[in-house]
Each structure stands twice: as C-alpha cells, then as structure tokens.
Amino acid sequence: MAGLDGTRDEPSAVPVTAGERGLRVAVLGPLVVRRDGVPVDPGRRGQRLLLIRLLLADGHAVAPETLCEDLWRGRPPAAAMPSLYAQVSRVRGVLEQRRRGSRDFEVLVTEPAGYALRIPPGARDTVCFTEALTRARRDLAASRAADALRGVEEALGMWRGAALADAVGHPFARPEAARLEDLRLGAAELRAAALLLTGQLPRAVTAAERLTGRHPLRETGWALLLRALYLAGRGPEALRRYEEVRRHLADALGLDPGPELRALHDGILRNDLPPLTPPDSPPAGDSTPQPSLPPTTQSAQHTERPTLAGLPAPREGRPAPLCRPAQLPDDLKVFAGRETESAWLSAPGLPPDRDGPGAARVVLIGGSAGVGKTAFAVHHAHQVARHFPDGRLFVDLCGFHPHTPPLDPAAVLHGFLTALGVPAQRVPEDTAARTALFRSTLAGRRVLVVLDNARDEEQVRPLLPNGPGCLTLVTSRSRLTGLVAGEGARPLPLALPPESEAYEILARRLGPARLRAEPEAAAAIVRLCGRLPLALAVIAARAVLNPTFPLSAVADELRETGGRLDALTTLDAGTDPRTVFSWSYRALDEPATRLFRLLALHPGPDITVPAAASLAALPVARARRLLTELAQVRLVEQPAPGRYALHDLLREYAAGLIHEADTGAERDAATARVLDHYAFTGHAGNRLLNHEPRPVDPGPPTPGTVPERPRDPGEVARWFTAEQLVLTRVFQTAVARRLDRHVITLGRVLKEHLNRHERWSEGVEVLTSALAAARRLGDRDEQGRCLRMLGVMHGEMGHGDEAVIHLDRAAALFDDAPGGLDTLIERVRTQYAASYVLGLLGRDAEALERAERALELARGTGDPLWMSDPLTAVAKFHTLLGRPEQGIAYSEEAISVFQGLNAPWREAMCWNNLGRAYGAVGRHRQALASHRRALTVFEEGHDRKHVIRSLTCIGDTHLAMGDRSAARAAWTRALEGADGPEKDTFEGLKDVRARLTALDTEAAGAAHV
C-alpha cells in the first residue's frame, strides 16, 4: 500500500489531477477537510473511514469489495455494498459540492477497477509534513541549524493528534499510521538536536526529557539528553541519568547501553564529548523511500538525478553496451508482501556513496531456508529492471544444493562475459583476469547482477562489479560477514513475514474469497506453517490442486499428521521443506550437526551459549563457536545478543533427526543436563541473594552440566528476567515427562523468583506440581516444604483458610517426622512461616504466639542462625501489639545475630522492624537511620519490593516529624523505583499511591481554607 507522503514502488497509472481547486485534507490527527481555507464537515464515521481508505490508495482505484472488507474489518454485513454506495455519494457531496447532481466527478471518480480519489500530493498534510521534515534534515546536514529548527518545528506543528485518528483499530490503517508516528518521533529527535546546535540548552533538555519519557528504551533520546545536560553545566546529573538508563535497559531488556551512549558517557567523564551526529534519516522502523525526483529535463547544474533504485542516472557519453543480457527468471506472479524490505532496497540514499570510487552497491539478502530469499530477489530485480538498461545478469551459484557442487566463479565469469558480448576467444583463462575484464566491461554501464544461493565470500568476490551504476543482489543462507567487512556490502536479513503478509501469501495463491469463507482455517494454516513462505506455498499448491477440499481439511491434516513436515512433503526436492533444510544441515561438520539436533530437546523459546554448552556437554567457548556456525547457515536465528532460537519447522526437523541419529540414553542425558543447568544456575543465584539461610542442597548435577555462576545480585536479577519464560518451559518439560527430581529442584528455583516478584498465583501452580512430584517420590520433607510455601503464597493472596490448612499440614508432617536437627530446623521454619501468614491476615496475637514458638524451637538447635528469623518476627509483632520497647529489644538482638552471620539481607529486614519500633516511641531520627540502612542493602541487592517498603517507612517517618515535603519525596521515589510492569505488580505501591493522594488532598484543603 502506498504511503500518504506520495511514495510508491510504481508511478500512478493515471495522473493525479487537482479536481477542485483549494481542497486540502489533513489526517495528522482527526480528519479535517478544508476548501479555500474554510473547514468542511466530512460527515459521519463511515464517510471519514471511506475518505481515509481512499487516501491510502494514493490515486489508485480500490475495488468496492475491498472497501467493504476494509471498512467493516473483514466482516461486511449483507447490506455492505448499498451502504458503501450511499457513503460514496455523501463523500462526493462533501468534496464536490458544485457538482451535486452531476455524474462528471473529478475528485472521487469511478474507474473500471473501482473508486479512486484524485487529491494532489501538495493538498495533503502528510506530504507537507514529509517535505518540511526533509528540508529540515538537509538544513541540519548543511550546518544550517537555525533553519533546520524552524523547519522541523513547522513540520511538528502540523500534528493535531494521533495519525489517522479516525481509523484507529482498523487494520488497513495500521501500517501507515505506524510509519507516520515513526517519522514524527524522528522529527522530535531532530528538533532536540537542532536546539542543541543553536545553543538553546534549556529547551534542548526539556525536549530530550520528553523523548526519554515517552520512549524510555530508545537510546537516541537518552544520548540527546545526556549531551544537553552536560553542555548546560549539569554534568553530575548527566552521569546519574546514564546510570538510570543503564539500569533500565538491563532490567527491561537484559542489555547494556549501545556504543553511542557508552562513548558519550566516556566523553562526559573525560570532559571531551564526541561530535554530535544529528539524526538525518528516518528513525528505525521507517523504511519507506523518500520521494524521488520526477523524470524532468536535467539542468546544467545537475548531472545526476536519484532514481527509484537509489543509483545515479546514466552519464552522458557512456559507451554503448555490447549486448544487453536479460537473464532474470520469471517474476512470481503470486508474489506477496515484503513491502518494507522493498522500500529499503529502493531508498535513494542507501550507502555506499554513489559518487565515490568503486561505489557499486552490494546487498546481501539473507535468511533461513524457505524464507523466500530467491523469490524476493527476483521480484525486486524485476521491479527495478528499468533502471538498468544495459542488462540484467542472473546465476544460481548452487551454494547449497543436494546434488550440484557450488559453481566455480571462473565458470560464472565466462558465462557473464559472453552474455555481455565478449567473444569466447577473448575470455582469459585466469580467474583474476576474467574478473578484471568483467569489471572493465561494466565500467560506465548500468547493469543489475543477481547472485543467487551463494556458498561463501570467496565464491562471490570475483563476481562483484565495481561501477557506480551497478547493483548486485546476493542471496545466501550464510551470513557472508566478510563481504560486509571487506566490500561494504549491506545486509538485508529476511525474517519470517508477519501474520498479515503470511495471510496475503495464501490469499494471492488461493483467492481472497476462499480464505474469507473459512477464516479460522486460514489462520490455523498460517500458524501451523510457522509463517514460513515455502511451507505456505506447498500447502497452497495442495489446496489449489484440490479445489473442492475445504481449507479446514487442510488444517486438520497439518494438525493430525505425525509432524507438520510430513504434511508438507512433496516429490519436488526444491519445494520439500525437509529436503531444503537438509542442504544447510549437510554443509556442517559432525559437532555442529549434533548440537543442532540436541537443540530440539530444549523447550525454547531461545537458548543462551552457556545453556547450550550444558545441553551438549561442551565447554562454553566450543558451544559458542558451534552456535555461530549454525547461525551462519541460518539453521538458528539470533533474536537478541547471546540468545539463539529455532523456527518451529526447523525444530521439528531437528527432532526427527535426533530420533534417527541419537540413542534414547543420549537424549535423556542431554535433557537432564539442560534441566540441571537452569536448576543449578537458579540455585546459585538464589543463594547469592541470600534470602534463605542454608537452602536445601540440590545434590550433584548431571555430568557434563556447566551451570552459570552469577557474580552479584544485579547479575542474578538480569538472569532471572531474561530466563523467566525459559524457566517456565523447562519446568513444564520436567512435569510433562514426570522427571520428578527435576520438578522439585526447578520448583525450588522458580518459587523463590516468583515470590520475590509477587507472582503468587504462578507460584501456587509451580508448588502444586512440585508437591505431586514429592508425593510420587515419597519425599515427606519435600512435601512439607511445598505445603509450607503454598501456605505463604495463599496468605499473600489473602486466601486465609487455604493458607492455614496448608501450614497445618506442613507442621503435622514435620511433627511426625523422626527427630534430628534437620527436622527441628524445618519445624522452626514452619512456625515462622505460620507467624508471617497470620500477620498478613491481621491476626497479630496468634502470629506472636507462633513466632515465640519458633524462637523456642530455634534456641533448641544451639545455632544462632535459626534464632534470627523468629527474633525478627517476635520483635515485629510486639511492636504491632503496642509493646514497641520489647520490639526494640528483640530487633537489636536479631541484628547482632545477623551481623555475626554476615547475612545483610535479613539484617536489613531487622533494621526496618527496628525503625518501626523507634517510630512508635517517638525516636524518629533513629527510625530514619534504621530505615536508611535497610534501604541501602535492598538497593544493592536489586530487591525492588523491599526498596519500596523501606521508602514507604522513610516517608511515614518524615510525615510523623512534620516534614511533608520529605515524605512526598520518599514516596515519589518509591514510585519511580518500580519500572515497567512492576508498577502494577507490587502490592506496596498501592499504599504509596494512597499516601500521596491523602497528602495532595490535605494540601488542597489547606489551600482552600
């Protein structure tokens, strides 16, 4: 679909006419129509949607059936067509009032293919915005910062709200709305840079603050903010904000800041900032080409003009080509999708610089087997072929082929040269000489070269032209990193198409009507094919050959066949997914193929290098090299740094291979190793957080397991954040296979993580499965531990009856167990847990009794370690029951115990209890000091929940001292400390918000009086 800024892959078949002078349309906000500067009511919602939908077609005709589908979101009613005709009539009445009653319309016209809207580009605010933004970018690039600032502020001033606001929620509007919003973000970033360059530092800081607030994970805004703060004399604040974004990126994405932010941070530390590189191109996500110049007569000042392919026009006086080869295969008539990638390839300004020496463009189209690399390369080559009048060369290099070896570059060069008209007797024998002649022959010419299915860099390098008028498209499963580094090639990875494009692939092959008749079956086919274009093509071919078969039968076959690959099998090796995958698999050596097979045992969605090392019982460095090999041939993808993933069909292919090549014992051992990897890494992380003294020893890991060893609490927090979905899946794997010992060890890891993040309902599910496993094993101690933690989590959720029942069952199990120190410790823990839960339920007197019982049992162990938690609980409940002096005494005793044990987290809990007791007797300064000591420990340990609680206590203490400003500051800091989804997760935040609301209400009342 063409963009609202007038850009498209092909020029309109019919010239756009003005229609009615003075008509202007604005969609950068709610739809506005003006005639001669006077607003005109565009009508009701249906008329507005119709007008927007036709605007998106950019002068092309849209069939009535398509309009009905889009305007009614794929579910047009029976009366949709008459309603559409009525809407068209009303819109014409708005746009062409002078022609009411006439059938000779000039704006909303009827064509054989449907309805078309003839509004010139300059009458649309989207075009005006894009042109103003382009001028501002050019001004900034030319060091005219003041002009750029005026231009970009003019562009941003055209916005009145969300793009295409009247069409929110309609699928037809989403791509263009997203593109425009990306341009708007790029304009806001350009404005901040222009403010910096014009020395308007306070305004630059404000603009950058707004960017980071709205887009906290986008580093461009942060870089502008840090630079503005530093230049405004606020260097320390800039350093603090860098730490803020570093923590935010780590917590939210598990990533460190990028090179630009790191370089800026270093420059601030050295008082030597790197130069500012203004944003001079559309932001990430906007790959739509800017409008190229129309084909007009060239002036004397301009010898070149950009074209759609982004290459210069032919120079005058260039030599006439000997021959004009036209070797491209036929374009796929049912090709669909890849509009974003096509736009990127067509962008006029795509580096390298057209004017530099040896500036032939080389684009590497990569992707996994079956993703459609060749089809896309050939399709795009046909789209831009007219820009290469001197010929189009194509060759299948057979880099990955089951029977044909990779082609020798010398043989390919011989074919290219003779196709270009070089007599065979003049073709040199030497490969280097052939390359030199090939490049000489193409000098000054405009030739498109498509090198399909390349094996490696050495096969491609001799085949690259070096003339500025040539474009080379290379497709390969290999990444060909050497061409990027050595030849400046630009990689264009083809990912799986989104669901909308995958649906379009089916629609182009089967017809929209057949998909509309069975929308659920069509969606199921897209999902079961994993959106892989090759798989979709195979299934579509089968459906075409059996037109009477319902699509639901095709979907059922995919579901019910032993594997989806079996349902996709064909007799043609070039279209059978299993065969196509095998070409990449066979290109690997044995260690890499073994790792690929083993990856099928990992439940996903992705795996890290250390986990892969455990899976395959390999050193970490060796596993990293093998994963790199697999990524090079696209058998695995890398969705994030350090993480690797398998496509669903490749996972199924690997699963089939592992059952053929590896024994059951080998598969079981690999599964045990990878489960142990997560269990033992998580166990080490939980120990580092030091929340539980002397946790249960999980025993030795399976031989070959190499667990990770996190170094500090921050690293532990990032590991759990990055692995939380993987942990859930490996636990489910253990449950499904009844690997009961792994269910228990992984359950211990997960329940600690889930409890820290107050995800108690998930924790109950995990513990219920672990309890069942313990019962199957007859492990009474583990049953008691599971019941005890189930009681705690039910208590946190307010399920008082369930909590008490579980705790009583746990107590009964340990009371009936044989005597001994271990049993006594479990009894202490159970009584302490009961006191905690009773406190949650508001039954403080009963809670104190249980805490005192736990303390009595703990003194019997003779180990102060087990006295510490009961002492903390006794102190807490004495304070809550109005006996703060006793609370102080017990808290001080508990603190002394924890200091001797070097247990800072538990000591911090005591400091908070002591602070509350001090506050109850009016010793507020001592209370503040206690809470601050606790806060420091919790912040260092990345314990967000208890950071919030400590700050809440600090605010309460300030309020008791009459300092409302300090109280507000502490509570506000508590809210700022909970990033992302945790703002709605931690229960303590509700209390903080309530305190702030009460403070605001009190202040408002005082002001009113």
Side-chain angles (χ1 to χ4, degrees), residues 1 53 65-74 170-172:
M1 186 177 290
R53 177 61 185 86
E65 295 81 6
T66 302
L67 289 172
C68 290
E69 283 290 314
D70 289 347
L71 298 183
W72 278 275
R73 307 189 196 195
H170 281 262
F172 73 78

Side-chain angles (χ1 to χ4, degrees), residues 709-745:
R709 300 295 177 192
R711 293 163 292 185
D712 55 60
E715 190 173 332
V716 174
R718 289 191 292 274
W719 185 85
F720 273 108
T721 298
E723 302 291 354
Q724 55 186 348
L725 183 54
V726 179
L727 284 169
T728 300
R729 291 194 180 183
V730 296
F731 180 76
Q732 291 168 345
T733 297
V735 171
R737 297 187 58 179
R738 289 212 169 189
L739 302 173
D740 289 337
R741 188 51 61 190
H742 285 100
V743 171
I744 290 171
T745 54

Side-chain angles (χ1 to χ4, degrees), residues 367-510:
S368 61
V371 82
K373 299 180 293 296
T374 300
F376 171 69
V378 170
H379 175 74
H380 184 76
H382 279 280
Q383 297 298 107
V384 300
R386 65 186 181 280
H387 298 293
F388 300 94
D390 297 333
R392 281 81 68 188
L393 297 168
F394 177 92
V395 64
D396 179 358
L397 294 174
C398 300
F400 296 87
H401 195 279
H403 309 300
T404 305
L407 295 188
D408 187 337
V412 175
L413 285 166
H414 189 284
F416 280 175
L417 287 167
T418 54
L420 288 165
V422 176
Q425 61 271 22
R426 285 190 54 210
V427 176
E429 291 297 323
D430 179 67
T431 301
R434 289 183 180 183
T435 297
L437 179 58
F438 175 61
R439 291 172 178 169
S440 299
T441 302
L442 295 187
R445 309 189 198 287
R446 297 177 57 78
V447 174
L448 173 64
V449 181
V450 181
L451 306 176
D452 187 39
N453 196 13
R455 178 77 173 197
D456 52 33
E457 293 88 342
E458 296 308 311
Q459 188 186 31
V460 171
R461 279 196 180 98
L463 307 178
L464 298 178
N466 64 357
C470 295
L471 170 65
T472 305
L473 304 179
V474 184
T475 75
S476 181
R477 301 183 189 186
S478 296
R479 294 186 181 273
L480 305 182
T481 308
L483 295 182
V484 177
E487 278 68 32
R490 293 294 303 275
L492 177 58
L494 293 189
L496 291 171
E499 287 189 9
S500 59
E501 285 192 7
Y503 185 91
E504 188 182 354
I505 290 172
L506 279 182
R508 291 293 298 273
R509 292 171 179 269
L510 300 179

Side-chain angles (χ1 to χ4, degrees), residues 863-914:
D863 188 339
L865 172 65
W866 307 112
M867 295 165 51
S868 53
D869 281 339
L871 278 169
T872 303
V874 170
K876 171 184 173 182
F877 291 115
H878 270 301
T879 300
L880 290 174
L881 290 168
R883 298 187 288 272
E885 294 293 353
Q886 290 174 268
I888 291 171
Y890 279 109
S891 293
E892 289 174 341
E893 182 181 357
I895 287 171
S896 67
V897 170
F898 282 127
Q899 287 175 338
L901 296 171
N902 189 26
W905 186 89
R906 308 190 96 75
E907 181 186 337
M909 296 288 287
C910 291
W911 281 112
N912 265 343
N913 280 340
L914 182 57

Side-chain angles (χ1 to χ4, degrees), residues 636-990:
V636 299
E637 295 298 327
Q638 199 169 1
R643 306 192 73 85
Y644 297 83
L646 282 174
H647 181 273
D648 289 347
L649 292 178
L650 279 166
R651 180 181 296 279
E652 188 175 322
Y653 175 62
L657 292 173
I658 197 171
H659 281 83
E660 296 172 1
D662 302 271
T663 66
E666 289 170 332
R667 297 194 299 271
D668 290 344
T671 299
R673 286 193 301 269
V674 79
L675 296 182
D676 274 349
H677 176 87
Y678 293 103
F680 281 81
T681 303
H683 175 75
N686 284 333
R687 290 204 65 177
L688 192 58
L689 292 176
N690 201 25
H691 287 204
E692 184 177 354
R694 296 186 188 172
V696 179
D697 185 359
T702 305
T705 306
V706 283
E708 298 168 67
R709 300 295 177 192
R711 293 163 292 185
D712 55 60
E715 190 173 332
V716 174
R718 289 191 292 274
W719 185 85
F720 273 108
T721 298
E723 302 291 354
Q724 55 186 348
L725 183 54
V726 179
L727 284 169
T728 300
R729 291 194 180 183
V730 296
F731 180 76
Q732 291 168 345
T733 297
V735 171
R737 297 187 58 179
R738 289 212 169 189
L739 302 173
D740 289 337
R741 188 51 61 190
H742 285 100
V743 171
I744 290 171
T745 54
L746 286 165
R748 291 182 194 139
V749 169
L750 270 171
K751 61 98 173 172
E752 289 290 323
H753 170 65
L754 296 171
N755 185 49
R756 280 194 297 273
H757 289 268
E758 298 187 358
R759 292 159 57 183
W760 294 306
S761 59
E762 297 172 61
V764 166
E765 293 180 11
V766 167
L767 285 165
T768 301
S769 296
L771 176 61
R775 285 172 174 161
R776 287 193 294 269
L777 291 175
D779 188 336
R780 291 176 61 85
D781 286 347
E782 193 59 39
Q783 292 175 49
R785 297 184 193 106
C786 291
L787 287 165
R788 181 172 65 223
M789 199 60 200
L790 278 167
V792 170
M793 291 195 172
H794 276 296
E796 294 281 13
M797 292 189 291
H799 304 160
D801 292 341
E802 292 94 332
V804 172
I805 289 171
H806 282 97
L807 287 164
D808 286 345
R809 288 176 178 170
L813 275 172
F814 291 124
D815 288 344
D816 293 342
L821 180 60
D822 290 341
T823 301
L824 183 57
I825 291 170
E826 296 295 355
R827 291 173 183 167
V828 172
R829 286 173 159 169
T830 304
Q831 293 299 324
Y832 170 72
S835 74
Y836 174 77
V837 169
L838 290 168
L840 291 175
L841 300 175
R843 295 156 63 176
D844 293 341
E846 296 174 73
L848 178 59
E849 290 178 11
R850 293 294 190 107
E852 289 175 336
R853 173 63 178 153
L855 181 56
E856 179 186 351
L857 290 169
R859 295 190 192 279
T861 66
D863 188 339
L865 172 65
W866 307 112
M867 295 165 51
S868 53
D869 281 339
L871 278 169
T872 303
V874 170
K876 171 184 173 182
F877 291 115
H878 270 301
T879 300
L880 290 174
L881 290 168
R883 298 187 288 272
E885 294 293 353
Q886 290 174 268
I888 291 171
Y890 279 109
S891 293
E892 289 174 341
E893 182 181 357
I895 287 171
S896 67
V897 170
F898 282 127
Q899 287 175 338
L901 296 171
N902 189 26
W905 186 89
R906 308 190 96 75
E907 181 186 337
M909 296 288 287
C910 291
W911 281 112
N912 265 343
N913 280 340
L914 182 57
R916 294 189 192 96
Y918 278 143
V921 296
R923 295 160 66 177
H924 298 306
R925 294 192 180 280
Q926 290 168 284
L928 273 179
S930 298
H931 291 311
R932 285 169 176 161
R933 291 189 67 162
L935 176 63
T936 299
V937 173
F938 293 137
E939 285 183 330
E940 291 175 352
H942 295 262
D943 187 338
R944 189 76 68 199
K945 176 167 69 174
H946 287 98
V947 165
I948 294 166
R949 291 181 180 176
S950 298
L951 286 167
T952 303
C953 292
I954 289 171
D956 291 345
T957 306
H958 279 302
L959 188 63
M961 297 169 70
D963 191 344
R964 287 175 170 75
S965 176
R968 180 186 298 278
W971 294 334
T972 302
R973 183 178 167 193
L975 291 181
E976 293 172 351
D979 294 325
E982 294 178 352
K983 288 188 176 181
D984 298 320
T985 299
F986 288 121
E987 290 292 325
L989 291 171
K990 296 179 182 177

